[in-house]
Amino acid sequence: MWRRTTDNSARVVDEWLPAHQVSTEEVWEHTKSAGLPYHWCYDSYPGAKDRRGSSRCSCSACTLANHRDLLLAAGRRPRLAELCALVERVRQVPFNPNITMAEVIALARRHDAPDPGLEVEETADFERMERDVHAALRKPPVWESKARTGPGELLHSVAGCDGCC
Protein backbone atom coordinates (compact mmCIF):
# COMPACT_ATOMS: atom_id res chain seq x y z
CA MET A 1 0.00 0.00 0.00
CA TRP A 2 2.90 2.34 0.74
CA ARG A 3 6.03 2.93 -1.29
CA ARG A 4 8.94 5.09 -0.17
CA THR A 5 10.27 6.99 -3.19
CA THR A 6 12.82 9.24 -1.48
CA ASP A 7 14.65 8.98 1.81
CA ASN A 8 17.62 11.24 2.38
CA SER A 9 18.82 13.81 4.89
CA ALA A 10 16.61 16.48 3.30
CA ARG A 11 13.26 14.70 3.08
CA VAL A 12 11.26 11.50 3.06
CA VAL A 13 8.62 10.99 0.37
CA ASP A 14 6.07 8.21 0.60
CA GLU A 15 3.36 7.38 -1.91
CA TRP A 16 0.03 5.96 -0.87
CA LEU A 17 -0.54 3.78 -3.91
CA PRO A 18 -4.34 3.41 -3.76
CA ALA A 19 -4.66 7.20 -3.96
CA HIS A 20 -3.25 7.12 -7.48
CA GLN A 21 -6.33 5.23 -8.65
CA VAL A 22 -8.91 7.52 -7.02
CA SER A 23 -10.31 10.70 -8.58
CA THR A 24 -10.61 13.99 -6.72
CA GLU A 25 -14.40 13.69 -6.91
CA GLU A 26 -14.27 10.23 -5.30
CA VAL A 27 -12.08 11.57 -2.48
CA TRP A 28 -14.54 14.40 -1.81
CA GLU A 29 -17.52 12.06 -1.96
CA HIS A 30 -15.87 9.75 0.59
CA THR A 31 -14.92 12.73 2.79
CA LYS A 32 -18.50 14.02 2.71
CA SER A 33 -20.23 10.64 3.18
CA ALA A 34 -17.93 9.68 6.06
CA GLY A 35 -18.40 13.08 7.71
CA LEU A 36 -14.64 13.61 7.77
CA PRO A 37 -13.31 17.04 8.65
CA TYR A 38 -11.15 18.92 6.17
CA HIS A 39 -9.16 22.15 6.19
CA TRP A 40 -11.14 25.35 5.68
CA CYS A 41 -8.84 26.50 2.82
CA TYR A 42 -10.96 24.34 0.49
CA ASP A 43 -13.95 26.56 1.34
CA SER A 44 -14.64 30.21 0.60
CA TYR A 45 -14.20 30.95 4.33
CA PRO A 46 -13.88 28.88 7.54
CA GLY A 47 -17.08 26.97 8.21
CA ALA A 48 -18.67 27.62 4.79
CA LYS A 49 -18.53 23.94 3.74
CA ASP A 50 -18.97 25.09 0.13
CA ARG A 51 -15.64 23.92 -1.37
CA ARG A 52 -15.33 27.23 -3.25
CA GLY A 53 -11.80 27.86 -2.00
CA SER A 54 -8.44 26.43 -2.97
CA SER A 55 -8.27 23.29 -5.07
CA ARG A 56 -5.53 21.86 -2.86
CA CYS A 57 -4.17 22.48 0.60
CA SER A 58 -0.53 23.44 0.30
CA CYS A 59 1.80 26.28 1.16
CA SER A 60 -0.07 29.60 1.18
CA ALA A 61 1.82 30.91 -1.82
CA CYS A 62 2.90 27.73 -3.58
CA THR A 63 4.90 28.16 -6.77
CA LEU A 64 3.19 24.99 -8.06
CA ALA A 65 -0.36 26.24 -7.42
CA ASN A 66 -2.79 26.84 -10.24
CA HIS A 67 -3.72 30.40 -11.23
CA ARG A 68 -6.96 30.59 -9.20
CA ASP A 69 -5.29 29.23 -6.06
CA LEU A 70 -2.52 31.85 -6.41
CA LEU A 71 -5.13 34.61 -6.62
CA LEU A 72 -6.86 33.26 -3.51
CA ALA A 73 -3.53 33.07 -1.67
CA ALA A 74 -2.70 36.70 -2.52
CA GLY A 75 -6.14 37.78 -1.34
CA ARG A 76 -6.10 35.70 1.83
CA ARG A 77 -2.51 36.54 2.83
CA PRO A 78 -1.65 39.89 1.24
CA ARG A 79 1.30 40.55 3.54
CA LEU A 80 2.88 37.23 2.55
CA ALA A 81 2.25 37.98 -1.12
CA GLU A 82 3.90 41.41 -0.74
CA LEU A 83 6.88 39.80 0.99
CA CYS A 84 7.23 37.30 -1.88
CA ALA A 85 7.03 40.19 -4.36
CA LEU A 86 9.75 42.05 -2.45
CA VAL A 87 12.08 39.03 -2.61
CA GLU A 88 11.31 38.76 -6.31
CA ARG A 89 12.19 42.44 -6.94
CA VAL A 90 15.33 42.49 -4.83
CA ARG A 91 16.75 39.18 -6.04
CA GLN A 92 15.40 39.58 -9.59
CA VAL A 93 14.13 36.00 -9.50
CA PRO A 94 10.49 35.49 -10.50
CA PHE A 95 8.19 33.76 -8.04
CA ASN A 96 7.04 31.37 -10.76
CA PRO A 97 8.32 30.84 -14.31
CA ASN A 98 4.89 31.77 -15.68
CA ILE A 99 3.88 34.71 -13.50
CA THR A 100 5.47 37.08 -11.04
CA MET A 101 4.02 37.58 -7.58
CA ALA A 102 3.58 41.25 -8.47
CA GLU A 103 1.32 40.17 -11.34
CA VAL A 104 -0.57 37.79 -9.04
CA ILE A 105 -1.18 40.62 -6.55
CA ALA A 106 -2.42 42.96 -9.27
CA LEU A 107 -4.77 40.29 -10.66
CA ALA A 108 -6.03 39.37 -7.16
CA ARG A 109 -7.10 43.01 -6.65
CA ARG A 110 -9.28 43.08 -9.75
CA HIS A 111 -13.05 42.99 -9.38
CA ASP A 112 -13.25 39.74 -11.36
CA ALA A 113 -10.77 37.89 -9.11
CA PRO A 114 -12.07 35.05 -6.93
CA ASP A 115 -13.33 36.28 -3.56
CA PRO A 116 -10.78 35.19 -0.93
CA GLY A 117 -13.53 35.13 1.70
CA LEU A 118 -11.25 36.50 4.40
CA GLU A 119 -7.84 37.95 5.05
CA VAL A 120 -5.74 35.76 7.33
CA GLU A 121 -4.35 37.63 10.32
CA GLU A 122 -0.61 37.08 10.46
CA THR A 123 0.97 35.81 13.67
CA ALA A 124 4.14 36.61 15.59
CA ASP A 125 5.82 33.80 13.62
CA PHE A 126 5.12 35.71 10.42
CA GLU A 127 6.53 38.90 11.96
CA ARG A 128 9.76 37.06 12.80
CA MET A 129 9.96 35.57 9.33
CA GLU A 130 9.38 38.99 7.78
CA ARG A 131 12.24 40.49 9.82
CA ASP A 132 14.50 37.58 8.83
CA VAL A 133 13.65 38.01 5.15
CA HIS A 134 14.42 41.74 5.28
CA ALA A 135 17.74 40.99 7.00
CA ALA A 136 18.61 38.33 4.42
CA LEU A 137 17.79 40.69 1.55
CA ARG A 138 20.36 43.19 2.84
CA LYS A 139 23.03 40.56 2.18
CA PRO A 140 24.19 39.21 -1.17
CA PRO A 141 22.49 35.98 -2.28
CA VAL A 142 24.21 32.79 -1.16
CA TRP A 143 23.63 31.16 -4.56
CA GLU A 144 22.98 32.34 -8.08
CA SER A 145 19.58 31.42 -9.49
CA LYS A 146 19.28 30.07 -13.02
CA ALA A 147 15.92 31.85 -13.14
CA ARG A 148 17.54 35.21 -12.44
CA THR A 149 16.55 37.96 -14.84
CA GLY A 150 18.52 40.97 -15.92
CA PRO A 151 18.16 44.33 -14.17
CA GLY A 152 14.73 45.80 -14.66
CA GLU A 153 13.26 42.74 -16.36
CA LEU A 154 10.88 41.88 -13.55
CA LEU A 155 7.51 43.49 -14.04
CA HIS A 156 5.62 45.82 -11.73
CA SER A 157 8.49 47.37 -9.79
CA VAL A 158 7.13 49.21 -6.80
CA ALA A 159 7.98 52.90 -6.71
CA GLY A 160 10.13 53.79 -3.74
CA CYS A 161 11.48 50.27 -3.21
CA ASP A 162 15.13 50.59 -2.30
CA GLY A 163 15.70 46.85 -2.23
CA CYS A 164 15.85 46.80 1.59
CA CYS A 165 19.17 48.65 1.58
Side-chain angles (χ1 to χ4, degrees):
M1 233 187 200
W2 291 93
R3 178 176 68 192
R4 179 146 297 162
T5 63
T6 307
D7 187 0
N8 59 38
S9 61
R11 66 183 185 162
V12 173
V13 177
D14 291 323
E15 286 184 325
W16 184 46
L17 299 175
H20 290 278
Q21 309 304 319
V22 180
S23 71
T24 300
E25 292 76 24
E26 289 172 307
V27 170
W28 278 113
E29 182 54 40
H30 174 73
T31 300
K32 183 179 174 183
S33 66
L36 298 173
Y38 60 89
H39 195 277
W40 71 265
C41 75
Y42 293 110
D43 293 328
S44 56
Y45 61 88
K49 301 292 184 202
D50 59 7
R51 289 198 36 241
R52 291 179 37 213
S54 298
S55 64
R56 62 191 192 113
C57 191
S58 62
C59 300
S60 292
C62 178
T63 60
L64 303 175
N66 66 40
H67 186 75
R68 185 176 183 282
D69 286 359
L70 285 174
L71 297 178
L72 284 172
R76 289 177 172 177
R77 296 196 64 198
R79 286 182 61 195
L80 177 62
E82 289 292 345
L83 189 60
C84 290
L86 174 65
V87 171
E88 178 175 80
R89 285 190 305 274
V90 173
R91 294 295 190 226
Q92 291 293 298
V93 176
F95 169 77
N96 177 301
N98 301 314
I99 191 166
T100 66
M101 182 53 76
E103 290 172 309
V104 170
I105 292 167
L107 291 170
R109 290 178 177 155
R110 290 175 41 141
H111 75 281
D112 58 345
D115 181 1
L118 67 102
E119 186 175 312
V120 175
E121 188 174 322
E122 300 296 357
T123 65
D125 286 338
F126 178 84
E127 304 284 339
R128 280 190 293 279
M129 180 188 69
E130 189 174 40
R131 283 192 302 273
D132 291 347
V133 167
H134 282 274
L137 290 176
R138 287 191 283 277
K139 300 174 184 175
V142 294
W143 56 274
E144 194 66 28
S145 171
K146 292 179 183 174
R148 192 175 192 87
T149 63
E153 288 182 27
L154 269 180
L155 304 176
H156 307 295
S157 175
V158 171
C161 176
D162 65 359
C164 295
C165 293

